[in-house]
Amino acid sequence: MKAYWVIKTQAKEVIAFVVATGGSRHIAMSQVLPQPIMKLVNEALERSEGEDTSAIGRWRLGAYGKAG
């Protein structure tokens, strides 16, 4: 089984799914990252509209530390 992420930049959404024998299915929670982290990834996409990369990086480092 392999997991993939699709980042829909215009919709500002991250979609995770797995591919296994017989097809694929959407997953709501990453097996690698806990759910709060996936929510933070979505928030980072939203922030990318109005903030520069450095500001998002600083926010992300602080936010990921609090989520873990």
Side-chain angles (χ1 to χ4, degrees), residues 9-23:
T9 54
Q10 288 183 332
K12 298 181 187 106
E13 179 181 16
V14 177
I15 299 171
F17 63 99
V18 293
V19 176
T21 305

Side-chain angles (χ1 to χ4, degrees), residues 13-48:
E13 179 181 16
V14 177
I15 299 171
F17 63 99
V18 293
V19 176
T21 305
S24 64
R25 64 181 170 83
H26 179 267
I27 55 174
M29 182 179 235
S30 170
Q31 294 176 343
V32 176
L33 301 173
Q35 187 64 27
I37 297 295
M38 290 188 67
K39 288 179 182 178
L40 291 173
V41 170
N42 280 313
E43 185 175 342
L45 283 172
E46 290 176 17
R47 286 174 172 261
S48 69

